[in-house]
Amino acid sequence: MQKTYKTGPWTDRQSHSMSTEPRFDTKIAVLLREDLEPWQRLNVTAFLVSGLGSQVPEVIGDPYEDADGVSYLPMFRQPVLVFEGGKETLKAAHARALARALPRAVFTADLFTTGNDRDNRAAVRAVPTAELDLVGLAVYGPRNGVDKLLKGARMHP
């Protein structure tokens, strides 16, 4: 006999969450081009979120401390959601981020050939906005605005 699996009502599932804090009204999202190698995905994500953390102070929580009193750096106060999509999806998301004036960080294919921050910035500066060969984009903003920006993207597997 075949059985179907059904989840309980949403309220039942909510009761199992780790925190009693309300859902965030904002979202931190990274959109990666789907053709990146695994090491590139990790590298691009790390670089992109560092930009948000350095310029949008409200995304950073309080420092951590373990039971022995050893201090650790603060981290984002909310999850970072990672998505993927094709080149056109990334280009459209970038255009929407610009139109909405959301805080954003970009990573272009050219940055895989540079070796330092100065050269990275020069590589981006050398290309007009419409011609950037984007491989990654990080954004922060109101949840519904970021959701609209990510139209056509899918959650990273």
Side-chain angles (χ1 to χ4, degrees), residues 83-152:
F83 297 82
E84 68 176 6
K87 194 171 190 172
E88 291 306 313
T89 301
L90 202 55
K91 188 173 187 143
H94 180 244
R96 290 183 197 115
L98 293 173
R100 288 179 168 79
L102 293 176
R104 65 209 164 266
V106 296
F107 198 103
T108 66
D110 295 332
L111 303 188
F112 290 125
T113 64
T114 60
N116 60 70
D117 185 52
R118 181 179 39 94
D119 291 341
N120 286 351
R121 285 182 281 113
V124 173
R125 187 179 10 253
V127 181
T129 305
E131 296 175 25
L132 290 172
D133 186 9
L134 296 169
V135 298
L137 171 71
V139 294
Y140 170 75
R143 187 176 57 232
N144 63 346
V146 172
D147 288 343
K148 289 176 185 174
L149 179 139
L150 295 168
K151 183 179 177 184

Side-chain angles (χ1 to χ4, degrees), residues 14-55:
Q14 280 182 319
S15 65
H16 298 293
S17 69
M18 291 178 23
S19 173
T20 59
E21 286 189 33
R23 198 167 137 184
F24 291 102
D25 292 334
T26 57
K27 185 177 273 188
I28 299 170
V30 173
L31 176 57
L32 302 171
R33 203 165 74 193
E34 62 194 358
D35 61 349
L36 296 179
E37 294 293 327
W39 73 267
Q40 291 173 318
R41 291 171 184 257
L42 295 170
N43 187 266
V44 170
T45 299
F47 269 95
L48 289 171
V49 297
S50 72
L52 291 177
S54 69
Q55 295 299 304

Side-chain angles (χ1 to χ4, degrees), residues 63-73:
Y64 286 73
E65 185 176 294
D66 66 24
D68 293 324
V70 176
S71 297
Y72 302 94
L73 295 172

